[in-house]
Amino acid sequence: MPEARLPFDQLVSLLTSIFRKHGTSDAVAAVLAHNCASAQRDGSDSHGVFRIPGYLSTLASGWVDGHARPEVEDRAPGFVAVDAGNGFAQPALEAGRELLLDKARHNGIALMAIRNSHHFAALWPDVEPFASEGLVALAMVNSMACVVPAGGRKPLFGTNPISFAAPRAGHEPLVFDLATSAIAHGDVQIAAKEGKKLPEGYGVDADGNPTCDPEKVLNGGALLPFGGYKGSALSMMVELMAAALTGGNFSFEFDWSGHPGAKTPWTGELLIVIDPACGAGSDFAERTETLVQAMSDAGQQRQPGDRRYRQRAEAQRLGVALKEDDLTYLRGLVD
Ligand SMILES: NC(=O)C1=CN([C@@H]2O[C@H](COP(=O)(O)OP(=O)(O)OC[C@H]3O[C@@H](n4cnc5c(N)ncnc54)[C@H](OP(=O)(O)O)[C@@H]3O)[C@@H](O)[C@H]2O)C=CC1
Ligand SMILES: O=C(O)C1=NCCCC1
């Protein structure tokens, strides 16, 4: 597939125009466009411009409010609650960000509980900026019931990612961002589109039998958690922290069948921010670096985040990589 390159700012501006034209406020468009362009820039393929048709069909369906104004509540010394108003999670995070930062620096730790929200994106953009400011951040979000709990038969959990970011002396933050399912739902969709098989042990068909066929997983089948009961336990934790604690829906609780085209899970998100200066001392970033170096010496040359930062650096030199067909499609949305 021929590739095009577009400067990051131009991609942000194209996506902003698309969101504005297709049902969001200017403020929401700006946040979603930056998020989606960042994922595309970093090679987060399942959550970059691949997601635009899903965003637009969801907005057209009336399932999500593209004009929602998040309401921020200062609930306790270390607790910020945000009602996203049936809008997207990222503008809700932006709305409560300053208060969360103030509380984390003042108390040493603070959390933000976002409810009534839709998260259709990669999770790392929610945590990396905190680590760039010297803080440690942990985020989790639940999605839609498409993962069978360990030993179970029925899809119940979402693909429920967890993302963590820590400052690292002399380097970009150390960040991981991973679905607690064996594979992200977006990657199953990409495999189906490209006619590829899934690895064994990732999914089951509508009868609960193992399958490597992404179409069968998507049409009545389900995914498995990563690492059996261990991934299942983490996914359970995400349901509790991102939904029960925040006041959002569990992945199995919402019903979007009355909104054809709806693709964005209507759930919640939890974000915890820690000021490491309140811990063992001011050298946390150096300690991170010591650990990374030890991991490298032990033979792990590739750290989480390395691939993204490499792609980001390449995009800064050459422009963000896009499939030519995708760029034509995007431009057609604003013509
Ligand atoms: N909004 C939502 O509801 C959902 C969003 N998602 C998103 O989907 C995306 C993809 O998730 P997933 O498929 O699980 O991600 P991956 O399995 O591709 O990667 C998971 C993490 O492991 C790192 N990693 C990958 N390979 C290696 C390796 N060989 N050695 C060391 N580290 C490695 C990655 O770093 P690197 O980034 O550098 O590759 C990344 O931090 C995520 O951004 C996630 O947030 C997933 C589920 C639901
Ligand atoms: O890839 C996934 O898994 C998901 N991404 C966006 C929200 C739904 C699940």
Side-chain angles (χ1 to χ4, degrees), residues 143-188:
S143 62
M144 69 284 185
C146 60
V147 179
V148 181
R153 305 186 55 77
K154 199 173 131 190
L156 174 74
F157 294 146
T159 43
N160 297 3
I162 300 174
S163 188
F164 170 83
R168 185 179 161 190
H171 290 270
E172 304 280 17
L174 184 64
V175 178
F176 74 73
D177 176 15
L178 47 90
T180 50
S181 47
I183 183 171
H185 194 263
D187 282 322
V188 183

Tab-separated table of all heavy atoms in Angstrom, residues 143-188:
chain	number	residue	atom	x	y	z
A	143	SER	N	-13.838	-1.310	28.401
A	143	SER	CA	-14.427	-1.072	27.073
A	143	SER	C	-15.744	-1.843	26.915
A	143	SER	O	-16.642	-1.643	27.740
A	143	SER	CB	-13.408	-1.365	25.965
A	143	SER	OG	-12.978	-2.697	25.953
A	144	MET	N	-15.860	-2.679	25.900
A	144	MET	CA	-17.156	-3.366	25.698
A	144	MET	C	-16.961	-4.871	25.863
A	144	MET	O	-15.887	-5.396	25.591
A	144	MET	CB	-17.753	-3.023	24.330
A	144	MET	CG	-17.032	-3.560	23.134
A	144	MET	SD	-15.529	-2.636	22.778
A	144	MET	CE	-14.986	-3.379	21.269
A	145	ALA	N	-18.010	-5.556	26.282
A	145	ALA	CA	-17.900	-6.989	26.597
A	145	ALA	C	-17.514	-7.787	25.349
A	145	ALA	O	-18.348	-8.025	24.474
A	145	ALA	CB	-19.231	-7.493	27.156
A	146	CYS	N	-16.254	-8.175	25.282
A	146	CYS	CA	-15.794	-8.980	24.142
A	146	CYS	C	-14.684	-9.933	24.585
A	146	CYS	O	-14.042	-10.559	23.758
A	146	CYS	CB	-15.335	-8.085	22.997
A	146	CYS	SG	-13.976	-6.989	23.411
A	147	VAL	N	-14.484	-10.041	25.898
A	147	VAL	CA	-13.430	-10.914	26.424
A	147	VAL	C	-14.044	-11.878	27.441
A	147	VAL	O	-14.743	-11.455	28.373
A	147	VAL	CB	-12.302	-10.087	27.104
A	147	VAL	CG1	-11.228	-10.994	27.667
A	147	VAL	CG2	-11.704	-9.084	26.120
A	148	VAL	N	-13.762	-13.170	27.236
A	148	VAL	CA	-14.285	-14.201	28.137
A	148	VAL	C	-13.392	-14.277	29.373
A	148	VAL	O	-12.175	-14.368	29.241
A	148	VAL	CB	-14.256	-15.582	27.422
A	148	VAL	CG1	-14.821	-16.671	28.314
A	148	VAL	CG2	-15.024	-15.514	26.112
A	149	PRO	N	-13.963	-14.201	30.581
A	149	PRO	CA	-13.092	-14.340	31.766
A	149	PRO	C	-12.506	-15.753	31.818
A	149	PRO	O	-13.089	-16.681	31.256
A	149	PRO	CB	-14.055	-14.093	32.936
A	149	PRO	CG	-15.420	-14.357	32.410
A	149	PRO	CD	-15.391	-14.082	30.928
A	150	ALA	N	-11.368	-15.901	32.518
A	150	ALA	CA	-10.673	-17.195	32.539
A	150	ALA	C	-11.606	-18.317	32.980
A	150	ALA	O	-12.276	-18.200	34.013
A	150	ALA	CB	-9.484	-17.115	33.491
A	151	GLY	N	-11.669	-19.362	32.199
A	151	GLY	CA	-12.498	-20.518	32.544
A	151	GLY	C	-13.963	-20.320	32.217
A	151	GLY	O	-14.768	-21.242	32.404
A	152	GLY	N	-14.332	-19.126	31.744
A	152	GLY	CA	-15.742	-18.848	31.459
A	152	GLY	C	-16.108	-19.161	30.021
A	152	GLY	O	-15.289	-19.649	29.245
A	153	ARG	N	-17.366	-18.842	29.670
A	153	ARG	CA	-17.848	-19.150	28.328
A	153	ARG	C	-18.415	-17.919	27.631
A	153	ARG	O	-18.615	-17.924	26.422
A	153	ARG	CB	-18.970	-20.210	28.403
A	153	ARG	CG	-18.587	-21.482	29.134
A	153	ARG	CD	-19.684	-22.518	29.038
A	153	ARG	NE	-20.083	-22.813	27.672
A	153	ARG	CZ	-19.405	-23.577	26.833
A	153	ARG	NH1	-18.268	-24.125	27.223
A	153	ARG	NH2	-19.843	-23.799	25.617
A	154	LYS	N	-18.708	-16.883	28.417
A	154	LYS	CA	-19.458	-15.768	27.873
A	154	LYS	C	-18.602	-14.493	27.905
A	154	LYS	O	-17.962	-14.213	28.928
A	154	LYS	CB	-20.665	-15.579	28.806
A	154	LYS	CG	-21.795	-14.805	28.256
A	154	LYS	CD	-22.958	-14.862	29.241
A	154	LYS	CE	-23.442	-13.455	29.455
A	154	LYS	NZ	-24.384	-13.302	30.509
A	155	PRO	N	-18.584	-13.690	26.807
A	155	PRO	CA	-17.838	-12.436	26.879
A	155	PRO	C	-18.404	-11.504	27.948
A	155	PRO	O	-19.615	-11.324	28.027
A	155	PRO	CB	-18.003	-11.817	25.480
A	155	PRO	CG	-18.921	-12.681	24.721
A	155	PRO	CD	-19.249	-13.899	25.519
A	156	LEU	N	-17.522	-10.963	28.751
A	156	LEU	CA	-17.952	-10.193	29.919
A	156	LEU	C	-17.095	-8.939	30.100
A	156	LEU	O	-17.608	-7.844	30.289
A	156	LEU	CB	-17.816	-11.092	31.156
A	156	LEU	CG	-18.087	-10.455	32.496
A	156	LEU	CD1	-19.578	-10.244	32.681
A	156	LEU	CD2	-17.549	-11.340	33.631
A	157	PHE	N	-15.770	-9.140	30.048
A	157	PHE	CA	-14.845	-8.020	30.233
A	157	PHE	C	-14.640	-7.284	28.911
A	157	PHE	O	-14.848	-7.840	27.830
A	157	PHE	CB	-13.469	-8.520	30.691
A	157	PHE	CG	-13.452	-9.160	32.057
A	157	PHE	CD1	-12.589	-10.207	32.319
A	157	PHE	CD2	-14.268	-8.695	33.091
A	157	PHE	CE1	-12.540	-10.795	33.574
A	157	PHE	CE2	-14.220	-9.275	34.360
A	157	PHE	CZ	-13.358	-10.335	34.589
A	158	GLY	N	-14.153	-6.049	29.037
A	158	GLY	CA	-13.660	-5.343	27.859
A	158	GLY	C	-12.208	-5.737	27.612
A	158	GLY	O	-11.638	-6.545	28.363
A	159	THR	N	-11.610	-5.152	26.612
A	159	THR	CA	-10.183	-5.403	26.355
A	159	THR	C	-9.309	-4.615	27.342
A	159	THR	O	-8.096	-4.783	27.384
A	159	THR	CB	-9.829	-5.048	24.894
A	159	THR	OG1	-10.476	-3.804	24.545
A	159	THR	CG2	-10.312	-6.128	23.950
A	160	ASN	N	-9.948	-3.738	28.102
A	160	ASN	CA	-9.471	-3.126	29.341
A	160	ASN	C	-7.968	-2.837	29.478
A	160	ASN	O	-7.268	-3.501	30.265
A	160	ASN	CB	-9.930	-4.005	30.507
A	160	ASN	CG	-11.439	-4.070	30.616
A	160	ASN	OD1	-12.148	-3.506	29.790
A	160	ASN	ND2	-11.944	-4.751	31.642
A	161	PRO	N	-7.465	-1.825	28.771
A	161	PRO	CA	-6.036	-1.545	28.859
A	161	PRO	C	-5.604	-0.877	30.165
A	161	PRO	O	-6.405	-0.212	30.832
A	161	PRO	CB	-5.794	-0.595	27.677
A	161	PRO	CG	-7.093	0.083	27.485
A	161	PRO	CD	-8.169	-0.906	27.865
A	162	ILE	N	-4.336	-1.082	30.463
A	162	ILE	CA	-3.666	-0.433	31.595
A	162	ILE	C	-2.436	0.271	31.028
A	162	ILE	O	-1.698	-0.329	30.232
A	162	ILE	CB	-3.209	-1.479	32.641
A	162	ILE	CG1	-4.411	-2.266	33.181
A	162	ILE	CG2	-2.438	-0.824	33.776
A	162	ILE	CD1	-4.029	-3.424	34.106
A	163	SER	N	-2.228	1.506	31.422
A	163	SER	CA	-1.030	2.203	30.958
A	163	SER	C	-0.328	2.862	32.148
A	163	SER	O	-0.975	3.383	33.054
A	163	SER	CB	-1.411	3.258	29.912
A	163	SER	OG	-0.241	3.795	29.340
A	164	PHE	N	0.996	2.804	32.110
A	164	PHE	CA	1.818	3.284	33.220
A	164	PHE	C	2.944	4.142	32.648
A	164	PHE	O	3.527	3.785	31.618
A	164	PHE	CB	2.398	2.069	33.959
A	164	PHE	CG	3.448	2.394	34.977
A	164	PHE	CD1	3.089	2.797	36.255
A	164	PHE	CD2	4.804	2.290	34.669
A	164	PHE	CE1	4.058	3.103	37.207
A	164	PHE	CE2	5.777	2.592	35.613
A	164	PHE	CZ	5.403	2.988	36.887
A	165	ALA	N	3.244	5.240	33.312
A	165	ALA	CA	4.351	6.088	32.843
A	165	ALA	C	5.177	6.565	34.023
A	165	ALA	O	4.637	6.977	35.047
A	165	ALA	CB	3.797	7.300	32.085
A	166	ALA	N	6.494	6.500	33.873
A	166	ALA	CA	7.416	6.948	34.923
A	166	ALA	C	8.506	7.810	34.298
A	166	ALA	O	8.974	7.507	33.193
A	166	ALA	CB	8.043	5.736	35.618
A	167	PRO	N	8.929	8.865	35.007
A	167	PRO	CA	10.028	9.683	34.473
A	167	PRO	C	11.334	8.888	34.460
A	167	PRO	O	11.559	8.040	35.323
A	167	PRO	CB	10.102	10.855	35.456
A	167	PRO	CG	9.419	10.402	36.701
A	167	PRO	CD	8.440	9.340	36.305
A	168	ARG	N	12.145	9.163	33.460
A	168	ARG	CA	13.401	8.432	33.289
A	168	ARG	C	14.506	9.448	33.021
A	168	ARG	O	14.388	10.249	32.085
A	168	ARG	CB	13.211	7.486	32.088
A	168	ARG	CG	14.341	6.575	31.830
A	168	ARG	CD	14.067	5.656	30.647
A	168	ARG	NE	15.329	5.149	30.197
A	168	ARG	CZ	15.530	4.478	29.088
A	168	ARG	NH1	14.514	4.192	28.299
A	168	ARG	NH2	16.737	4.071	28.756
A	169	ALA	N	15.531	9.459	33.833
A	169	ALA	CA	16.577	10.493	33.700
A	169	ALA	C	17.226	10.450	32.319
A	169	ALA	O	17.681	9.407	31.879
A	169	ALA	CB	17.632	10.287	34.779
A	170	GLY	N	17.221	11.600	31.659
A	170	GLY	CA	17.927	11.720	30.375
A	170	GLY	C	17.210	11.089	29.205
A	170	GLY	O	17.768	11.000	28.109
A	171	HIS	N	15.994	10.605	29.405
A	171	HIS	CA	15.251	9.941	28.331
A	171	HIS	C	13.784	10.338	28.378
A	171	HIS	O	13.301	10.869	29.376
A	171	HIS	CB	15.323	8.412	28.481
A	171	HIS	CG	16.673	7.850	28.209
A	171	HIS	ND1	17.065	7.459	26.955
A	171	HIS	CD2	17.724	7.628	29.025
A	171	HIS	CE1	18.308	7.012	27.013
A	171	HIS	NE2	18.733	7.099	28.265
A	172	GLU	N	13.096	9.968	27.306
A	172	GLU	CA	11.637	10.071	27.319
A	172	GLU	C	11.138	9.170	28.445
A	172	GLU	O	11.816	8.196	28.819
A	172	GLU	CB	11.057	9.534	26.001
A	172	GLU	CG	11.594	10.191	24.743
A	172	GLU	CD	10.920	11.523	24.474
A	172	GLU	OE1	10.294	12.078	25.395
A	172	GLU	OE2	11.034	12.031	23.354
A	173	PRO	N	9.930	9.440	28.980
A	173	PRO	CA	9.415	8.591	30.061
A	173	PRO	C	9.340	7.120	29.663
A	173	PRO	O	9.223	6.780	28.484
A	173	PRO	CB	8.004	9.142	30.283
A	173	PRO	CG	8.034	10.541	29.780
A	173	PRO	CD	9.019	10.557	28.654
A	174	LEU	N	9.431	6.277	30.680
A	174	LEU	CA	9.244	4.835	30.473
A	174	LEU	C	7.732	4.584	30.534
A	174	LEU	O	7.095	4.879	31.553
A	174	LEU	CB	9.951	4.076	31.593
A	174	LEU	CG	9.958	2.555	31.496
A	174	LEU	CD1	10.726	2.074	30.270
A	174	LEU	CD2	10.597	1.940	32.757
A	175	VAL	N	7.172	4.073	29.446
A	175	VAL	CA	5.709	3.936	29.350
A	175	VAL	C	5.336	2.562	28.820
A	175	VAL	O	5.909	2.110	27.825
A	175	VAL	CB	5.116	4.990	28.376
A	175	VAL	CG1	3.601	4.827	28.245
A	175	VAL	CG2	5.451	6.405	28.814
A	176	PHE	N	4.409	1.915	29.490
A	176	PHE	CA	3.781	0.767	28.811
A	176	PHE	C	2.293	1.019	28.707
A	176	PHE	O	1.695	1.765	29.505
A	176	PHE	CB	4.103	-0.583	29.468
A	176	PHE	CG	3.412	-0.878	30.782
A	176	PHE	CD1	2.052	-1.181	30.839
A	176	PHE	CD2	4.131	-0.888	31.973
A	176	PHE	CE1	1.420	-1.470	32.050
A	176	PHE	CE2	3.513	-1.175	33.191
A	176	PHE	CZ	2.149	-1.468	33.222
A	177	ASP	N	1.689	0.412	27.723
A	177	ASP	CA	0.260	0.576	27.459
A	177	ASP	C	-0.220	-0.721	26.842
A	177	ASP	O	0.133	-1.035	25.702
A	177	ASP	CB	0.056	1.745	26.484
A	177	ASP	CG	-1.401	1.911	26.076
A	177	ASP	OD1	-2.281	1.329	26.733
A	177	ASP	OD2	-1.644	2.623	25.083
A	178	LEU	N	-0.971	-1.506	27.598
A	178	LEU	CA	-1.337	-2.830	27.076
A	178	LEU	C	-2.768	-3.224	27.404
A	178	LEU	O	-3.260	-2.997	28.506
A	178	LEU	CB	-0.369	-3.898	27.591
A	178	LEU	CG	-0.007	-3.937	29.060
A	178	LEU	CD1	-0.964	-4.810	29.841
A	178	LEU	CD2	1.415	-4.463	29.200
A	179	ALA	N	-3.410	-3.814	26.401
A	179	ALA	CA	-4.728	-4.402	26.618
A	179	ALA	C	-4.559	-5.606	27.542
A	179	ALA	O	-3.518	-6.285	27.509
A	179	ALA	CB	-5.315	-4.855	25.281
A	180	THR	N	-5.566	-5.893	28.370
A	180	THR	CA	-5.481	-7.085	29.218
A	180	THR	C	-6.071	-8.305	28.502
A	180	THR	O	-6.104	-9.389	29.062
A	180	THR	CB	-6.206	-6.850	30.564
A	180	THR	OG1	-7.515	-6.329	30.304
A	180	THR	CG2	-5.434	-5.865	31.430
A	181	SER	N	-6.523	-8.108	27.277
A	181	SER	CA	-6.903	-9.236	26.415
A	181	SER	C	-5.658	-9.702	25.662
A	181	SER	O	-4.653	-8.975	25.607
A	181	SER	CB	-7.980	-8.788	25.424
A	181	SER	OG	-7.610	-7.559	24.833
A	182	ALA	N	-5.748	-10.904	25.063
A	182	ALA	CA	-4.590	-11.434	24.342
A	182	ALA	C	-4.202	-10.528	23.178
A	182	ALA	O	-3.042	-10.491	22.764
A	182	ALA	CB	-4.910	-12.838	23.837
A	183	ILE	N	-5.179	-9.783	22.677
A	183	ILE	CA	-4.935	-8.852	21.568
A	183	ILE	C	-6.001	-7.757	21.664
A	183	ILE	O	-7.115	-8.020	22.148
A	183	ILE	CB	-4.991	-9.599	20.209
A	183	ILE	CG1	-4.668	-8.681	19.020
A	183	ILE	CG2	-6.354	-10.266	20.002
A	183	ILE	CD1	-4.511	-9.433	17.691
A	184	ALA	N	-5.649	-6.555	21.231
A	184	ALA	CA	-6.651	-5.475	21.231
A	184	ALA	C	-7.709	-5.772	20.168
A	184	ALA	O	-7.407	-6.356	19.119
A	184	ALA	CB	-5.970	-4.138	20.950
A	185	HIS	N	-8.925	-5.342	20.441
A	185	HIS	CA	-10.027	-5.551	19.489
A	185	HIS	C	-9.691	-4.898	18.143
A	185	HIS	O	-9.969	-5.455	17.072
A	185	HIS	CB	-11.302	-4.941	20.076
A	185	HIS	CG	-12.548	-5.349	19.390
A	185	HIS	ND1	-13.134	-4.577	18.423
A	185	HIS	CD2	-13.329	-6.454	19.510
A	185	HIS	CE1	-14.232	-5.178	17.984
A	185	HIS	NE2	-14.367	-6.318	18.630
A	186	GLY	N	-9.058	-3.724	18.210
A	186	GLY	CA	-8.688	-3.014	16.978
A	186	GLY	C	-7.755	-3.843	16.116
A	186	GLY	O	-7.845	-3.824	14.882
A	187	ASP	N	-6.850	-4.580	16.754
A	187	ASP	CA	-5.911	-5.396	15.971
A	187	ASP	C	-6.615	-6.601	15.348
A	187	ASP	O	-6.167	-7.107	14.311
A	187	ASP	CB	-4.729	-5.829	16.847
A	187	ASP	CG	-3.733	-4.688	17.018
A	187	ASP	OD1	-3.516	-3.935	16.047
A	187	ASP	OD2	-3.189	-4.529	18.124
A	188	VAL	N	-7.694	-7.062	15.977
A	188	VAL	CA	-8.475	-8.151	15.359
A	188	VAL	C	-9.156	-7.600	14.105
A	188	VAL	O	-9.183	-8.249	13.053
A	188	VAL	CB	-9.534	-8.706	16.343
A	188	VAL	CG1	-10.286	-9.872	15.714
A	188	VAL	CG2	-8.881	-9.134	17.648
